[in-house]
Amino acid sequence: MTSALIEIRRVPLPGKEFILSEGVKKSLEATGKSGIITATSASSHRESRDVTTAITGLTLNEVTELESSILNSPEAQSRLMALEELSVKVTYQTLVILAPPENTDMAKAQYINRRYLKAKRGQSQLLIEALLEWRDKFNKKPMVTRPLASDLDIVRITSPIETLEELAGNISTINTDPDHKKNRDAVSELTASGFQTNSRIIYRV
């Protein structure tokens, strides 16, 4: 079975973020699945603030079952359409988990750091291999995923973070620690571009 998660990103209408957040919490509860909800804490000024739901602990077969349950439930459809009415944009993504997070305590995490790396054309598998090798050097190992449908060259790294000081320390290690230079150079050579966002966990179930 292939492990996966569903990520639903909603960009709220101006002035509707907190109303949207409350509705999203109820919608996640209604699925009966585990997951978290995050709201943008820091991102590029070119990016819009968002409220993102991550439905976790799934296999790809369970993703299909969840989709089917929504298609057969007018109540679920109405609930989701009501949330769309509070949003400027809604996107759904299924992420295949290549490596799960390890040695992290989700109960203590306050933030989710999401990194999006765009591999050079045709180099995404080599980038994944380089990231997995680099990942092994960390005690707290991030999750590595690949979208099931998206830009073919995108690879994602997701890290639960307890504090902003921890995040700053991680970024410093990645960017400057000489012990990581070999891995840093390998990933840089295979990467065309990348960006990251940091979001506050506002709900978990």
Side-chain angles (χ1 to χ4, degrees), residues 31-93:
T31 67
K33 304 294 185 180
S34 61
I36 62 170
I37 297 168
T38 62
T40 301
S41 171
S43 67
S44 164
H45 286 305
R46 294 178 297 175
E47 299 293 322
S48 301
R49 288 181 58 81
D50 65 55
V51 177
T52 296
T53 302
I55 304 175
T56 59
L58 302 174
T59 64
L60 287 178
N61 286 342
E62 289 171 327
V63 170
T64 300
E65 291 170 3
L66 187 56
E67 291 173 342
S68 297
S69 70
I70 292 170
L71 290 172
N72 293 314
S73 171
E75 179 183 351
Q77 294 165 20
S78 295
R79 184 175 65 247
L80 293 175
M81 290 307 99
L83 295 174
E84 289 209 8
E85 290 175 0
L86 295 169
S87 308
V88 175
K89 180 180 180 181
V90 181
T91 54
Y92 292 75
Q93 198 166 70

